[in-house]
Every structure is written in C-alpha cells, then in structure tokens.
Amino acid sequence: MAKLGNAATAIKPKGSVKAKVIGGVVVGVIALIILFNIFNFANTDTNRIGLHYGGGIIEDKKFKSIIPPGSTNSLIGPGDTVYTYPIDQRSYIIGGDGADTDSGDEVTVVSKDNVRLGVRVQVYFTLNRDKDVIKSFHERIGLKTEAYEERGWNTMLQSYFRPQIDRALAAVATNYGWAELYNNEAKKSQFQSAAAKEFTRLLPAAVGGDYFCGPGYNGNNDCGELSFTVQKPMPLDKGIIDGLEAKQRAELAKATQEQKNQQVNVELQSVKQQVAMLGAQGYLLKTAIESGKIQFMVIPQNGNVSIPVPTTTQSGQPNQEPSTPPAR
C-alpha cells in the first residue's frame, strides 16, 4: 500500500503544467503593462523639438530636458509629458492665396492724406530653439494658447502676430501719401522697411522675449530678423484709382501736346531763318522744288538733250514721242 501511495504522489497531472505556463504569461503581460505605465517613451519628428516636463505622483510638474528633433523612444518618467514645437520655417500670411486668414483679409491703414488703404502682408520666421528661450516661450505663451498643437499655433499667431502687424503698418503709413504707396516703388520699399523695423520692435515686447528668429535660423547660427514683406497698398475706394488713372491720362495727353507744340516752334524758327536768308519768294521756290511741284533740269553747255514734247495724235491724245531741239 505504501508503494502505491508513493506512486500516486509521483504522478503529476499534465493540466497543472499548462496552467502554470499560462499563469506565467499572464504575469509577464501584467508586468509589462505595469512597466510601461511606470516608464514612458517619447518620440519627436525631425521638424519638431520636444520639451520634457515631469508629472509624476512624487515629483513637481517642472521642466526636465529638451528632446532633440528626430528622437525615438526617449525614456521619460511615469506621468511625464512632452510638448513639441515646430523648428522648420513658418509663415503668417494675411490675405491672398495660402493665407492664414481669410483670402480677402487685409490690414487697413490710413495714409498721410487720409485715404484708407488695404495691405496684404507675409511674415516668415522660425522658432528660437535656445533651451532657456523656448522654455520661456512654452511657459508664457505656449501653454496659454496650446501652441504645441496646430490649432493652438494658429491661435498664437492670431493673438500675438496680427495685432503687432496692424500697429506697425498703421504707425508707418501716416508718413506717406496714398499715391506714393500705390505707384512709387521707391516709396513702397521705404514703407516696407520702416514697417518691418517697427514690427520687429513691437513683437518681442508683446510676447515677452525674442522667441522668433529669421527664416534662415537653424539653431546653430545667429537668430536673424524675421522676413516681413507687404504687397502694393490698394485704396479701399476703387474710385480713387479710377481718378488717378484719369489724371495720369490727362497729364500724358498734355505732355504729348506740349511735345508737338515744341516741334512746331522748332519748325517755325527754321522757316523764319530760311526766309531771312532766301527772302519770301526764294523760300517759296525752295519749298515748291522740295515738294516736287516744280521740276528743273541741268543742261550741260553745248550738249544735246532729248526733251519729250507732247503732240496730238489723230485720236486727240497727246503723243509723247521725243523731239530733238536744235543744237545751241
């Protein structure tokens, strides 16, 4: 009996082994789930930079590190968050095709001579990726507007770029007459340069720092100035343009008539000089000869010349047969 008991004890059911394997797999999966909840992994696209902030149970929500562009599976702590921002060239365009606003949108300014003008603007820039600067941008601007998301980025541009563009153009436009801005390229270039300078002064003051660099900035070179261009300012009252064009046509016609008058005066002075030199009859004779009304021939001395003399034929038509006059 003892032997039988020992034999029975030695035999182990096959199902128990299978249950242990399944149990081990379940435990492993649970361990992995717990592990992935304890440790997070961050990825960034090649055109975006990440800002790593703590957010665990036992630590403050504060800045930890920069996640470089193009990073894959960067280990971060449990509950941490990574906010990403674009580092490639960006634009803010007011009006026209590809605008960040309505295509018909324009900045309205008033010229020195009190004409309301519509101006379309293009600004090109990049985000300053210096660690301290971009951290300040995120905490002052990015969190408030959610600029780390595409919609929030557009909200940030509308909230901070647009007002300063409006202010810059309005301040500068009062130094120019509307016609200067409309059809004088030199004045328009001065207007654009002055507006760009004013905008680059206003924007850092409004956002609280030099958060934006020129389009050529790559993170290793100088920040540079933003690219700021304006299209031709257009009067909002189209009748003003029609009036200007009518005035220009009248001035062109006047200039053409004055040129003709000058030409007539020159010809008149020439006639007076010839009359003074040749006399009135001499001048008339010269004019008749030049116009072909009087023909003459130079006959060589002691020479024979055949001159056609009209004769009348039986039909009554003149005959053009030449006759030879007697020698002289």
Side-chain angles (χ1 to χ4, degrees), residues 156-177:
M156 181 271 297
L157 293 176
Q158 285 294 115
S159 300
Y160 292 95
F161 273 55
R162 180 57 185 265
Q164 310 318 316
I165 292 174
D166 289 351
R167 290 178 59 192
L169 291 177
V172 174
T174 56
N175 297 323
Y176 301 89

Side-chain angles (χ1 to χ4, degrees), residues 41-113:
F41 294 90
N43 300 309
T44 54
D45 293 333
T46 55
N47 67 333
R48 298 185 73 88
I49 191 171
L51 280 73
H52 174 200
Y53 279 78
I57 299 174
I58 59 175
E59 64 178 348
D60 297 332
K61 294 182 178 180
K62 61 182 180 180
F63 176 78
K64 283 190 170 182
S65 65
I66 291 289
I67 307 295
S71 297
T72 302
N73 294 328
S74 296
L75 181 63
I76 60 176
D80 289 2
T81 304
V82 174
Y83 303 92
T84 66
Y85 289 94
I87 61 168
D88 52 353
Q89 177 180 303
R90 291 283 159 150
S91 64
Y92 181 63
I93 299 175
I94 301 174
D97 296 335
D100 295 290
T101 62
D102 294 337
S103 60
D105 187 22
E106 294 177 323
V107 177
T108 301
V109 300
V110 179
S111 66
K112 181 170 61 176
D113 42 3

Side-chain angles (χ1 to χ4, degrees), residues 35 43 48 68 128 169 202 220 236 256 289 295 306:
L35 180 64
N43 300 309
R48 298 185 73 88
N128 191 334
L169 291 177
L202 292 172
N220 297 316
L236 299 183
T256 302
I289 293 172
Q295 298 181 356
S306 296

